[in-house]
Amino acid sequence: RYRHVEIVFIRHTDRAEEVDEETFFYSPASGGTLVSSALEAMHDIVRSRFRPSDWNIYAAQASDGDNSYSDGEVAGRLLTDKILPASQFFAYLEVGQDSGMTFDMPDSALWTLYQRLRQEGAPLSMRKVCQRSEIFPVFHDLFQRRAAQERDSR
């Protein structure tokens, strides 16, 4: 739909870094988990390279849902105060264990946080999947429906 598209990959453990697609998908990273580090990195990248007045910003986050409970308030504030106001759309996808069974894990720290923010009115789209192979098709579906909704509302 757009003449020029740029995709930015941010991965994180307890700290975030912008990486290329190959590193994002195929290089392991380990350490603690602070989602706020990725949200702060996104905010810095948007602020320095993608002014919302010039770009339509779409965010897609996939995670196992792990986040330090002590980071929840900071992550929530970054999301509601900085990321969502600059974004056209924000989709969160939580990936469970590759068991092939239904998603029967208890809600994660991140799912619980985002669910609360949604109930408070934050425009978040959220889905859960069981297998990594479902990530791309579900993101595709979420963004397709968004495009169709935009066309229908015109």
Side-chain angles (χ1 to χ4, degrees), residues 20-71:
D20 61 25
E21 184 174 359
E22 178 81 14
T23 301
F24 184 83
F25 286 108
Y26 300 108
S27 294
S30 61
T33 303
L34 296 175
V35 170
S36 63
S37 68
L39 297 173
E40 188 65 51
M42 180 183 171
H43 173 65
D44 291 344
I45 291 166
V46 167
R47 190 176 54 211
S48 66
R49 299 195 327 241
F50 301 103
R51 291 184 358 195
S53 60
D54 297 330
W55 290 84
N56 289 319
I57 297 166
Y58 296 86
Q61 179 184 11
S63 172
D64 63 2
D66 190 27
N67 191 34
S68 167
Y69 279 99
S70 63
D71 187 54

